[in-house]
């Protein structure tokens, strides 16, 4: 069966768009072919900076003939309806339609349309221009004389030529002829811009790839990546170095060259005095080069870097390496300048006294100056949540509150909080925002801060996601919690909550961060209290109300996601969170709510409940409790009277007397155990109910004839529900 | 299109030789070679030969050197790479010829950059000028890792769609000269190509100016006066546009170019105020919008002039 080769050659496509564009091309063309009634065996896409290529194998040469039956209106339908039917069925006269009878509806017209199959090349010639015109580039442009007219072709950069050949392996393939935006398809392409500027005629994919390779173009991006990586490793190794690998950079660089040539560049040793991360980012961001380490060095970089050129230079790449070295040097000089500036006095030191006093800063120290400056300049955090200075004040205050809870020294916590955002005013973080925290830590260490203060400056941003490391040092934990709670409470107070897929302030991540810090460090934290601590300065003098319950339920939702990811049963989490919902007394309802604001306890309860339900006692008690709950629910629906409390005098049978005694006992013991936060003991106490509950249902008829007895027995069932409800709402547990 | 200059004027030896070589190359292509615009601008794009001529349907090919002033980039002559006044070489071709990339590479070849010796790359860079209401797609052109030019296909200028699209090439002349001369400090560039006592360096010509203007830009510019200049330029621009539009029907707009001068002045005054640090973050946006508003009005008025295609029927097909 024939194969299709398509190449769209253009001026340089941005590296970050190439992979997706090639994938889009494959999908759009393949879908279009299938929709037109063709099938294919395999399709694969390729790309370089200057071309998107598609190789489709085993395409059917023609689409099948299609017989279609279209039902028309009744023979008695008005003329208009019949005319419409003729139009839609492509008939010129109603005589071409057949008449069919329906026993209920009478006679109606039917058209038999036969659509002959079409040649694949015809379908392709129609499809490709449509795909090109509708191509989903993130940003596209017009160009050349044609752009004087409206509706001219858009492409990511000027489109220069199109190769489109089609044919079976055994024959000379044909050019599928079409035109789009003034470009006519053909079988001619061009190789490397500088090494092979001559035209190349191609037939099919095999010779196309080979001819490109001969013209110094490696078509397959993954192969270019392999070449770069292997050559870079070898070149580094041969020079006693080790490549610092960087997948993102490798992907980008492979999209910047058609013929990768790896070279080694050099800069002065002196630059190695600045932090390795700064060197790496400077060289990566501006020059798209890889850094290296001396072999067997763990962290320190070497003064040589690896660059990827696009040509085999006449001089073996000396000039290229030399030129790149010069640029890298200029960039690193800037970085050194930033690094030194960040450790020198700020120019407006004289204006910072008031801010320094406000935060207890020592203006002799560089990082303290930066914090004072951040406050002094009134840099906005969020229009409705004040300046960065105000935010730092709030975080410091909250960190002090949280410190004793997590075992941190409140003074160190406050100091770390005050310096946590200071590096936002440093030159290096201005240049590389991704170094926020990391630079603050380095500068803090340089000015002699306590090690845990320095660490907290970096770690308070953690964890950044489900797999990031959770801070464990108490000072870090205090600042990390304070920072995240201030963010969450703040955005809740101004009603900027995440909606659907939109979460511009990363509030879900912040909540997950709080959850992971608390649970993985075993921290007991009453969230509601912390919400109100955090809210006090935010709400100051404003007529805003903090929706505490709403924020807590946001936390519960995030906790469910977290626990589910850890493999916990979804229904158990629901059951634990809903515990206490059947309690009648409003005062006890509050108790239940506040116990749900301690995330660690929720997790412990879910664990205990899971273990209990795995046991025989647990399973049976669950069945009995569910039975009680179902009966109650049914009777409640029927509005059957249920006594407010069990009247021991109305308990006739021995079994129900025993149950009543057991419920009283279990409720008391379980309640006590919960007070002591011993959930296993609470479960154990409840498991004593299993036997009397089972016997009760065997021996006693709840629906007694005597209305008072019935109401009393229902009250007894309600007590079973209430007793178990202290631990979890059993009705929400599956099975 | 080989360019013949005496040996000492070769771009690898002289800054002015670089300029002359580019002039000759683009003159040979058919560009009108213009002289710098006589007002302070932040980039060659502000020259009316680019901003305004990029609009409308008429073909236009021009090349010129434009001194560019960036008050904030001044370093008192102490930084080997940063200047508050430097030269851009600007080429504007409307509509862009289909071989614009090849033409550009040809110009590099003319100044002695061999593409089989040096690694020349087109790296994504989308250009945008908020004050001119302009944007385009293109690249930074890299030579051995150094950005030596900007290459842009204008899509919109003064908030108006370009039809047809113009191609703009902007060469950073000092950088390019430092590259071809193999010099690390801009002030060491050989300006006239002579040696010994006859040699004139870039520093001989500009170092004192960099020092003096840095003082002015950062310390002495009278901000109260500049604020007033901004207001005046804005008012004058709008008044001229209004007066020029007040015409008998069927006549072109009468006064776009003088109005556009005022827009340029407002933009430069804004840059000076910005360097003096008297514009807050929130005000900044509003100043940019005010300049953009002027440039938009100038662009719209320009379309009502002969150069802007007023009454233009197009070339015979």
């Amino acid at each position: 069966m024939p194969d299709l080769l398509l190449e769209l050659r253009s001026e340089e496509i941005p590296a970050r768009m190439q992979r997706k564009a090639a994938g889009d091309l494959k999908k759009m063309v393949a879908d279009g072919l299938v929709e037109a009634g063709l099938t294919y065996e395999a399709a694969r896409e390729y790309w370089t900076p200057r071309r998107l290529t598609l190789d489709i194998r085993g395409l059917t040469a023609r689409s099948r003939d299609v017989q279609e039956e279209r039902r028309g209106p009744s023979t008695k339908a008005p003329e208009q309806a019949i005319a419409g039917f003729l139009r839609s069925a492509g008939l010129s006269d109603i005589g071409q339609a057949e008449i069919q009878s329906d026993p209920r509806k009478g006679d109606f017209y039917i058209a038999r349309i036969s659509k002959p199959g079409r040649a694949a090349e015809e379908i392709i010639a129609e499809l490709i221009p449509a795909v090109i015109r509708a191509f989903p580039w993130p940003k596209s442009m017009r160009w050349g004389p044609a752009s004087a007219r409206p509706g001219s072709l858009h492409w990511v950069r000027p489109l220069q030529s199109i190769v489109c050949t089609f044919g079976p392996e055994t024959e000379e393939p044909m050019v599928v002829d079409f035109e789009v935006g003034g470009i006519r398809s053909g079988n001619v392409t061009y190789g490397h811009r500088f090494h092979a500027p001559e035209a190349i005629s191609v037939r099919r994919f095999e010779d196309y790839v080979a001819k490109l390779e001969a013209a110094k173009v490696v078509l397959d991006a993954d192969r270019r990546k392999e070449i770069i990586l292997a050559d870079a490793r070898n070149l580094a190794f041969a020079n006693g170095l080790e490549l610092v690998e960087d997948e993102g950079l490798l992907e980008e660089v492979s999209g910047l060259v058609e013929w990768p040539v790896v070279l080694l560049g050099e800069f002065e040793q002196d630059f190695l005095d600045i932090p390795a991360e700064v060197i790496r980012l400077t060289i990566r961001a501006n020059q798209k080069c890889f850094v290296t380490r001396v072999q067997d060095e763990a962290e320190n970089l070497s003064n040589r870097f690896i660059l990827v050129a696009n040509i085999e230079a006449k001089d073996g790449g000396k000039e290229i390496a030399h030129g790149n070295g010069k640029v890298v040097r200029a960039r690193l000089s800037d970085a050194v300048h930033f690094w030194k500036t960040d450790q020198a006095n700020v120019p407006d030191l004289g204006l910072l006294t008031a801010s320094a006093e406000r935060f207890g800063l020592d203006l002799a120290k560089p990082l303290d100056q930066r914090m004072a400056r951040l406050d002094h300049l009134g840099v906005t955090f969020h229009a409705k949540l004040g300046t960065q200075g105000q935010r730092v004040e709030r975080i410091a205050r909250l960190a002090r509150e949280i410190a004793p809870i997590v075992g941190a020294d409140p003074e160190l916590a406050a100091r770390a909080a005050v310096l946590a955002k200071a590096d936002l005013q440093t030159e290096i973080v201005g240049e590389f925002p991704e170094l926020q925290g990391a630079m603050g830590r380095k500068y803090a260490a340089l000015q002699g801060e306590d090690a845990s203060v320095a660490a907290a400056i970096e770690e308070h941003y953690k964890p950044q996601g489900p797999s990031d490391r959770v801070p464990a040092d108490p000072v870090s934990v205090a600042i990390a919690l304070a920072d995240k709670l201030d963010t969450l409470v703040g955005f809740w107070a101004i009603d900027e909550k995440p909606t659907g897929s939109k979460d511009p302030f990363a509030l879900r991540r912040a909540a997950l961060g709080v959850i992971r810090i608390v649970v993985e460090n075993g921290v007991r934290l009453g969230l509601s209290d912390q919400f109100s601590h955090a809210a006090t300065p935010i709400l100051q003098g404003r007529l805003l109300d903090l929706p505490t319950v709403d924020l807590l339920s946001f936390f519960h939702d995030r906790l469910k996601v977290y626990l589910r990811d850890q493999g916990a049963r979804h229904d158990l989490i629901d059951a634990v969170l809903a515990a206490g919902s059947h309690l009648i007394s409003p005062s006890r309802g509050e108790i239940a709510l506040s116990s749900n604001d301690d995330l660690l306890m929720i997790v412990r309860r879910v664990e205990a409940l899971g273990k209990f339900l795995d046991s025989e006692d647990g399973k049976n008690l669950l069945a009995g409790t569910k039975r009680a709950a179902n009966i109650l629910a049914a009777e409640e629906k029927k509005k059957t009277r249920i006594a407010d409390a069990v009247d021991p005098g109305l308990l006739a049978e021995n079994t129900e007397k025993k149950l009543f005694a057991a419920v009283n006992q279990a409720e008391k013991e379980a309640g006590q155990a919960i007070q002591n936060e011993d959930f296993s003991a609470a479960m154990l106490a409840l498991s004593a109910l299993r036997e009397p509950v089972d016997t009760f249902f065997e021996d006693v008829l709840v629906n007694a004839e005597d209305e008072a007895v019935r109401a009393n027995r229902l009250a007894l069932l309600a007590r079973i529900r209430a007793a178990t409800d202290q631990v979890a709402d059993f009705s929400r547990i599956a099975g | 299109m080989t360019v013949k200059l005496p040996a000492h004027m070769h771009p690898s030896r002289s800054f002015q030789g670089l300029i002359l070589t580019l002039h000759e190359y683009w003159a040979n292509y058919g560009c009108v070679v213009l002289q710098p615009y006589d007002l302070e601008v932040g980039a060659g794009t502000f020259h009316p030969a680019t901003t305004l001529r990029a609009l409308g349907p008429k073909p236009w090919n021009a090349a010129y050197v434009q001194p560019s002033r960036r008050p904030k980039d001044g370093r008192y002559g102490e930084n080997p790479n940063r200047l508050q006044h430097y030269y851009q070489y600007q080429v504007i071709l409307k509509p862009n010829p289909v071989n614009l990339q090849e033409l550009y590479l040809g110009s590099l070849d003319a100044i002695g950059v061999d593409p089989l010796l040096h690694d020349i790359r087109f790296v994504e860079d989308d250009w945008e000028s908020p004050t001119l209401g302009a944007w385009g797609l293109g690249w930074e052109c890299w030579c051995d890792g150094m950005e030596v030019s900007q290459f842009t296909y204008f899509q919109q200028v003064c908030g108006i769609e370009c039809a047809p699209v113009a191609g703009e090439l902007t060469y950073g002349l000092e950088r390019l000269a430092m590259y071809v001369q193999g010099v690390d400090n801009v002030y060491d560039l050989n300006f006239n190509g002579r040696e010994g006592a006859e040699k004139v360096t870039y520093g001989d010509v500009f170092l004192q100016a960099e020092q003096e203007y840095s003082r002015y830009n950062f310390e002495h510019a009278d901000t109260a006066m500049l604020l007033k200049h901004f207001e005046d330029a804005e008012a004058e621009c709008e008044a001229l546009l209004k007066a020029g539009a007040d015409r008998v029907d069927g006549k072109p707009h009468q006064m776009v170019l003088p109005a556009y001068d005022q827009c340029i002045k407002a933009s430069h005054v804004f840059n000076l105020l910005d360097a003096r640090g008297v514009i807050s973050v929130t005000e900044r946006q509003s100043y940019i919008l005010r300049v953009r508003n002027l440039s938009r009005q100038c662009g719209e008025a320009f379309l009502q002039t002969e150069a802007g295609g007023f009454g233009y029927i197009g070339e015979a097909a």
Side-chain angles (χ1 to χ4, degrees), chain A residues 386-397:
Chain A
T387 63
Q388 290 281 17
Q390 289 168 327
R391 177 165 144 79
V392 169
E393 236 175 351
R394 295 197 301 263
I395 294 173
R397 193 169 166 274

Side-chain angles (χ1 to χ4, degrees), chain A residues 11 16 144 147 193 308 314, chain B residues 96 101 114 124 153 165:
Chain A
E11 298 180 6
R16 65 192 168 91
S147 61
R193 186 188 279 290
V308 184
K314 290 185 218 168
Chain B
N96 73 272
Q101 279 188 314
D114 177 349
E124 175 191 14
Y153 292 105
V165 162

Side-chain angles (χ1 to χ4, degrees), chain A residues 297-425:
Chain A
E297 269 281 343
E299 274 182 29
N300 292 335
L301 297 180
S302 88
N303 66 327
R304 280 175 292 174
F305 63 92
I306 285 185
L307 69 104
V308 184
N310 190 34
I311 55 164
E312 276 173 16
K314 290 185 218 168
D315 66 347
K318 279 199 200 80
E319 287 276 349
I320 298 174
H322 176 71
N324 274 278
K326 257 170 89 163
V327 188
V328 163
R329 235 164 282 150
R331 297 288 191 179
L332 288 177
S333 300
D334 281 345
V336 169
H337 173 73
F338 295 150
W339 170 247
K340 285 187 178 152
T341 306
D342 287 344
Q343 294 172 65
N345 286 341
V346 296
D348 44 3
L349 193 53
L351 305 171
L352 306 180
T353 326
S355 292
E357 270 171 29
R358 202 137 83 86
F359 291 91
L361 296 164
D362 176 359
L363 285 183
K365 295 180 176 172
L367 202 54
D368 290 57
Q369 291 178 14
R370 267 80 196 163
M371 178 54 220
R373 192 154 195 269
L374 184 69
D375 180 58
H376 170 71
L377 293 177
V379 178
T380 310
F381 167 64
H382 181 283
K384 289 183 185 162
L385 292 173
T387 63
Q388 290 281 17
Q390 289 168 327
R391 177 165 144 79
V392 169
E393 236 175 351
R394 295 197 301 263
I395 294 173
R397 193 169 166 274
L398 192 56
R400 245 181 221 282
E401 298 271 356
I402 295 173
I405 302 173
V406 300
D409 176 340
E411 290 310 313
L412 290 183
R415 175 71 180 156
V418 157
L419 293 179
K421 309 291 181 189
D423 67 357
L424 296 178
Q425 275 292 313

